[in-house]
């Protein structure tokens, strides 16, 4: 089936693209950060995308938002600074 072919070829296609790293730095800006990450999720079709998010000691809801967003994602690094 086409689905089976896709599943077999997907890892090879992904490996053919170099890794693209996007670094997001934030501090007390949960709304804007959420929109940024949502945009990466919906608009970026790069198959080998790494997202690195650094929160610089936010006191708003950013830390919870980022922890929830990063949970279970591959190629995602979350740095929560004090």
């Amino acid at each position: 089936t086409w689905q089976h072919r896709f599943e077999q070829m997907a890892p090879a296609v992904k490996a053919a693209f170099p890794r693209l790293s996007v670094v997001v730095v934030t501090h007390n800006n949960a709304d804007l950060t959420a929109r940024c990450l949502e945009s990466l999720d919906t608009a970026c079709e790069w198959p080998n995308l790494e997202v690195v998010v650094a929160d610089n000691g936010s006191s708003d809801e950013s830390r919870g938002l980022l922890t929830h967003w990063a949970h279970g994602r591959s190629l995602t690094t979350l740095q929560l600074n004090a």
Side-chain angles (χ1 to χ4, degrees):
T1 67
W2 283 109
Q3 181 64 32
H4 179 70
R5 287 183 185 182
F6 170 77
E7 290 168 0
Q8 285 184 314
M9 293 182 63
V13 170
K14 183 176 179 179
F17 286 80
R19 178 161 300 162
L20 173 65
S21 298
V22 175
V23 179
V24 178
V25 180
T26 186
H27 176 73
N28 285 340
N29 210 344
D31 291 337
L32 186 59
T33 302
R35 285 186 281 168
C36 174
L37 297 174
E38 180 182 331
S39 176
L40 285 172
D41 285 343
T42 59
C44 186
E45 296 180 5
W46 195 260
N48 199 4
L49 178 69
E50 171 189 38
V51 180
V52 178
V53 182
D55 176 74
N56 287 320
S58 292
S59 58
D60 66 355
E61 62 273 9
S62 293
R63 296 170 77 87
L65 166 90
L66 294 172
T67 301
H68 177 70
W69 179 83
H71 182 73
R73 291 178 179 268
S74 61
L75 292 178
T76 299
T77 302
L78 178 58
Q79 178 65 46
L80 300 174
N81 298 319

